Amino acid sequence: MSGEAPMCEMGPGEGKAKETSMAGRCRMSWYERYIQPCVVELLGSALFIFIGCLSVIENSPNTGLLQPALAHGLALGLIIATLGNISGGHFNPAVSLAATLIGGLNAVLLIPYLVSQLFGGLIGAALAKAVSPEERFWNASGAAFATVQDQGQVAAALGAEIILTMLLALAVCMGAINGKTQGPLAPFSIGFSVIVDILAGGGISGACMNPARAFGPAVMAGYWDFHWIYWIGPLLAGLFVGLLIRLFIGDEKTRLILKAR
């Protein structure tokens, strides 16, 4: 059968040097496709959640929501601008779900991304606990989400998490993935969406928008009250945004940030 040989297939008579080179290319391709993005998602999630947790633990009562809002938003924008070209810069299971639905992430990578983000959340929260004074850490519930205190707040908090996360997921999908609207300012718009969300909804639900951000501090502080809100809300939002873009905008114009994806 005629045709080009696959990149990793060697023809007869080719030299050992070429064989070594091709083998290296095959290994590098596999590494770049599957391992490197997951490592970056773990690293980026750890950095983002470390900064986010510290901003809550060290927050001054005089600044209200401003300090956590700026710290979360600016940190996320900076990390996406720095690492986004390697993994897509999700650092959030809800965003990864939306990206998968519109063709911006290989479905095979969805679970590895989620696992990497959760482990990154654990690492970031653990580091925040390690460097924080014990009294401040516990006064802030370890930066776990403690806004919802009774059953009467659940409906409003869940609704807020869905709507706030939809804005964030739209900023990522339309600013960084969709070919019609993709632009170089995506990291800034994504970061600004987080700032706006926290300023607007922080008093209602805590404005988590990210199961990994909720999971790490919950483990470190042992605080699980109404924790499910911060999984169901963001994941539903990611599902809604993915379906919305796929049904009404179409995924024929979507493309991956990386050629390897």
Side-chain angles (χ1 to χ4, degrees):
M1 180 176 176
S2 61
E4 285 188 30
M7 184 182 73
C8 299
E9 185 178 313
M10 299 302 299
E14 292 181 312
K16 184 177 290 187
K18 186 173 181 181
E19 182 178 352
T20 302
S21 174
M22 293 293 283
R25 287 171 60 191
C26 294
R27 287 195 299 271
M28 182 59 69
S29 175
W30 184 84
Y31 171 79
E32 288 179 345
R33 283 173 181 265
Y34 301 109
I35 303 300
Q36 190 179 64
C38 292
V39 172
V40 166
E41 284 295 308
L42 185 147
L43 174 62
S45 297
L47 290 172
F48 168 63
I49 292 166
F50 171 72
I51 296 296
C53 289
L54 273 188
S55 72
V56 174
I57 295 168
E58 298 296 328
N59 188 28
S60 168
N62 297 327
T63 61
L65 294 170
L66 185 61
Q67 181 172 320
L70 290 175
H72 281 85
L74 295 176
L76 184 60
L78 177 60
I79 295 167
I80 291 174
T82 305
L83 300 175
N85 283 336
I86 299 175
S87 70
H90 299 173
F91 316 123
N92 184 337
V95 169
S96 294
L97 175 59
T100 301
L101 290 173
I102 66 170
L105 177 68
N106 187 335
V108 172
L109 284 170
L110 178 59
I111 298 301
Y113 264 44
L114 188 149
V115 172
S116 299
Q117 291 156 358
L118 292 179
F119 271 102
L122 281 173
I123 293 170
L127 291 174
K129 182 177 183 179
V131 302
S132 299
E134 186 174 359
E135 184 179 358
R136 282 181 176 269
F137 178 85
W138 292 113
N139 284 343
S141 301
F145 287 86
T147 305
V148 181
Q149 295 292 323
D150 60 66
Q151 197 67 33
Q153 298 175 274
V154 168
L158 181 60
E161 283 298 311
I162 293 172
I163 296 168
L164 297 174
T165 309
M166 285 182 68
L167 177 61
L168 170 59
L170 277 171
V172 175
C173 292
M174 300 305 290
I177 299 174
N178 188 277
K180 292 179 179 179
T181 55
Q182 185 184 52
L185 296 179
F188 301 100
S189 63
I190 294 166
F192 288 152
S193 72
V194 172
I195 294 173
V196 169
D197 279 350
I198 294 175
L199 289 175
I204 300 173
S205 67
C208 175
M209 305 168 285
N210 186 338
R213 168 65 180 84
F215 179 70
V219 173
M220 290 299 109
Y223 188 92
W224 299 97
D225 293 0
F226 301 102
H227 180 75
W228 62 271
I229 293 173
Y230 305 106
W231 282 82
I232 300 299
L235 291 177
L236 280 177
L239 178 63
F240 292 159
V241 168
L243 293 177
L244 178 69
I245 294 174
R246 193 173 184 89
L247 292 174
F248 295 102
I249 298 174
D251 65 343
E252 77 284 351
K253 290 292 185 179
T254 59
R255 65 181 178 86
L256 304 177
I257 297 173
L258 294 177
K259 293 180 180 179
R261 298 267 87 71

Coordinates of all heavy atoms in Angstrom, one line a residue, residues 45-54 57 118-132 137 142-144 212-221:
S45 N -3.1 25.5 38.6 CA -4.2 25.5 39.6 C -3.6 25.7 41.0 O -4.2 26.4 41.8 CB -4.9 24.1 39.5 OG -5.5 23.9 38.3
A46 N -2.4 25.1 41.2 CA -1.8 25.3 42.6 C -1.4 26.7 42.8 O -1.7 27.3 43.9 CB -0.5 24.4 42.6
L47 N -0.9 27.4 41.8 CA -0.5 28.8 42.0 C -1.7 29.7 42.2 O -1.8 30.5 43.1 CB 0.3 29.3 40.8 CG 1.7 28.7 40.6 CD1 2.3 29.1 39.2 CD2 2.6 29.1 41.7
F48 N -2.7 29.4 41.3 CA -4.0 30.3 41.4 C -4.6 30.1 42.8 O -5.0 31.1 43.4 CB -4.9 29.9 40.3 CG -6.3 30.4 40.5 CD1 -6.5 31.8 40.4 CD2 -7.4 29.6 40.6 CE1 -7.8 32.3 40.6 CE2 -8.7 30.1 40.8 CZ -8.9 31.4 40.8
I49 N -4.8 28.9 43.2 CA -5.5 28.6 44.5 C -4.6 29.0 45.7 O -5.2 29.4 46.7 CB -5.9 27.1 44.5 CG1 -7.0 26.9 43.4 CG2 -6.5 26.7 45.9 CD1 -7.4 25.5 43.1
F50 N -3.3 28.9 45.6 CA -2.5 29.4 46.7 C -2.7 30.9 46.8 O -2.9 31.4 48.0 CB -1.0 29.2 46.3 CG 0.0 29.8 47.2 CD1 0.1 29.4 48.5 CD2 0.7 30.9 46.8 CE1 1.1 30.0 49.4 CE2 1.6 31.5 47.6 CZ 1.8 31.1 48.9
I51 N -2.6 31.7 45.7 CA -2.9 33.1 45.8 C -4.3 33.4 46.3 O -4.5 34.3 47.1 CB -2.6 33.8 44.4 CG1 -1.2 33.6 44.0 CG2 -3.0 35.3 44.4 CD1 -0.2 34.3 44.9
G52 N -5.3 32.7 45.7 CA -6.6 33.0 46.1 C -6.9 32.7 47.6 O -7.5 33.5 48.3
C53 N -6.4 31.6 48.1 CA -6.5 31.3 49.6 C -5.8 32.3 50.4 O -6.4 32.8 51.4 CB -6.0 29.9 49.8 SG -7.0 28.6 49.2
L54 N -4.6 32.7 50.1 CA -3.9 33.7 50.9 C -4.7 35.0 50.9 O -4.7 35.7 51.9 CB -2.5 33.9 50.3 CG -1.4 33.0 50.8 CD1 -0.1 33.5 50.3 CD2 -1.4 32.9 52.3
I57 N -7.4 34.6 53.5 CA -6.8 34.4 54.9 C -6.2 35.7 55.4 O -6.4 36.1 56.6 CB -5.7 33.3 54.9 CG1 -6.4 31.9 54.5 CG2 -5.0 33.2 56.2 CD1 -5.4 30.8 54.2
L118 N -7.7 19.3 40.6 CA -8.0 19.0 42.0 C -6.8 18.8 42.8 O -6.7 19.3 43.9 CB -8.9 17.7 42.1 CG -10.3 17.9 41.5 CD1 -11.1 16.6 41.7 CD2 -11.1 19.0 42.2
F119 N -5.8 18.1 42.3 CA -4.5 17.9 43.0 C -3.8 19.3 43.1 O -3.2 19.6 44.2 CB -3.6 16.9 42.3 CG -3.8 15.5 42.8 CD1 -4.6 14.6 42.1 CD2 -3.3 15.1 44.0 CE1 -4.8 13.3 42.5 CE2 -3.5 13.8 44.5 CZ -4.3 12.9 43.7
G120 N -3.9 20.1 42.1 CA -3.3 21.5 42.2 C -4.0 22.3 43.3 O -3.4 23.0 44.0
G121 N -5.3 22.1 43.4 CA -6.1 22.8 44.4 C -5.6 22.4 45.8 O -5.5 23.2 46.7
L122 N -5.4 21.1 46.0 CA -4.9 20.6 47.3 C -3.5 21.2 47.6 O -3.2 21.6 48.7 CB -4.8 19.1 47.2 CG -6.1 18.3 47.4 CD1 -5.9 16.8 47.2 CD2 -6.6 18.5 48.8
I123 N -2.6 21.2 46.6 CA -1.3 21.7 46.8 C -1.3 23.2 47.2 O -0.7 23.6 48.1 CB -0.4 21.4 45.6 CG1 -0.2 19.9 45.4 CG2 0.9 22.2 45.7 CD1 0.5 19.6 44.0
G124 N -2.1 23.9 46.4 CA -2.2 25.4 46.6 C -2.7 25.7 48.0 O -2.2 26.5 48.7
A125 N -3.8 25.0 48.4 CA -4.4 25.2 49.7 C -3.5 24.8 50.8 O -3.4 25.4 51.9 CB -5.7 24.4 49.8
A126 N -2.7 23.7 50.6 CA -1.8 23.2 51.6 C -0.6 24.2 51.8 O -0.2 24.5 53.0 CB -1.2 21.8 51.2
L127 N -0.1 24.8 50.7 CA 0.9 25.8 50.8 C 0.4 27.0 51.5 O 1.1 27.7 52.3 CB 1.4 26.1 49.4 CG 2.2 25.0 48.7 CD1 2.6 25.4 47.3 CD2 3.5 24.7 49.5
A128 N -0.8 27.4 51.2 CA -1.4 28.6 51.9 C -1.5 28.4 53.4 O -1.2 29.2 54.2 CB -2.8 28.9 51.3
K129 N -1.9 27.2 53.8 CA -2.0 26.8 55.2 C -0.6 26.8 55.8 O -0.4 27.3 57.0 CB -2.6 25.4 55.4 CG -2.8 25.0 56.8 CD -3.5 23.7 56.9 CE -3.7 23.3 58.4 NZ -4.4 22.0 58.5
A130 N 0.4 26.3 55.1 CA 1.8 26.2 55.7 C 2.4 27.6 55.9 O 3.1 27.8 56.9 CB 2.6 25.5 54.7
V131 N 2.0 28.6 55.1 CA 2.7 29.9 55.3 C 1.8 30.9 56.1 O 2.3 32.0 56.4 CB 3.0 30.6 53.9 CG1 3.9 29.6 53.1 CG2 1.8 30.9 53.1
S132 N 0.6 30.5 56.5 CA -0.3 31.4 57.2 C -0.2 31.2 58.7 O -0.1 30.1 59.2 CB -1.7 31.2 56.7 OG -1.9 31.4 55.4
F137 N -5.5 31.6 59.7 CA -6.0 30.5 58.9 C -7.4 30.0 59.4 O -8.3 29.9 58.6 CB -5.0 29.3 58.9 CG -5.5 28.1 58.1 CD1 -5.2 28.1 56.8 CD2 -6.1 27.1 58.7 CE1 -5.6 27.0 56.0 CE2 -6.5 26.0 58.0 CZ -6.3 25.9 56.6
G142 N -9.8 28.5 56.8 CA -8.9 28.0 55.8 C -9.1 28.4 54.4 O -8.7 27.8 53.4
A143 N -9.9 29.5 54.2 CA -10.3 30.0 52.9 C -11.3 29.1 52.2 O -11.5 29.2 51.0 CB -9.1 30.2 51.9
A144 N -11.9 28.2 53.0 CA -13.0 27.4 52.4 C -14.2 28.3 52.3 O -14.3 29.3 53.0 CB -13.3 26.2 53.3
A212 N -12.3 23.0 41.9 CA -10.9 22.8 42.5 C -10.6 23.9 43.5 O -9.9 23.6 44.5 CB -9.9 22.9 41.3
R213 N -11.1 25.1 43.3 CA -10.8 26.2 44.3 C -11.6 25.9 45.6 O -11.1 26.2 46.7 CB -11.3 27.5 43.7 CG -11.4 28.7 44.7 CD -10.0 29.0 45.3 NE -10.2 30.2 46.2 CZ -10.5 30.0 47.5 NH1 -10.7 28.8 48.0 NH2 -10.6 31.1 48.2
A214 N -12.7 25.2 45.5 CA -13.5 24.8 46.7 C -12.9 23.6 47.4 O -12.9 23.5 48.6 CB -15.0 24.6 46.3
F215 N -12.4 22.7 46.6 CA -12.0 21.4 47.1 C -10.8 21.4 48.0 O -10.7 20.9 49.1 CB -11.8 20.4 46.0 CG -11.4 19.0 46.4 CD1 -12.2 18.2 47.0 CD2 -10.1 18.6 46.1 CE1 -11.8 16.9 47.4 CE2 -9.6 17.3 46.5 CZ -10.5 16.5 47.1
G216 N -9.7 22.1 47.5 CA -8.5 22.2 48.2 C -8.6 22.7 49.6 O -8.3 22.1 50.6
P217 N -9.2 23.9 49.8 CA -9.4 24.5 51.1 C -10.3 23.7 52.0 O -10.1 23.6 53.2 CB -10.0 25.9 50.9 CG -9.6 26.2 49.5 CD -9.5 24.9 48.8
A218 N -11.3 23.0 51.4 CA -12.2 22.2 52.2 C -11.5 21.0 52.8 O -11.7 20.7 54.0 CB -13.4 21.7 51.3
V219 N -10.6 20.4 52.1 CA -9.8 19.3 52.6 C -8.8 19.9 53.7 O -8.7 19.2 54.8 CB -8.9 18.7 51.5 CG1 -8.0 17.6 52.1 CG2 -9.9 18.0 50.5
M220 N -8.2 21.0 53.5 CA -7.2 21.5 54.5 C -7.9 21.9 55.8 O -7.3 21.8 56.8 CB -6.4 22.6 53.8 CG -5.5 22.3 52.7 SD -4.2 21.1 53.3 CE -4.7 19.6 52.5
A221 N -9.1 22.5 55.7 CA -9.8 23.0 56.9 C -10.8 22.0 57.4 O -11.3 22.2 58.5 CB -10.4 24.3 56.5

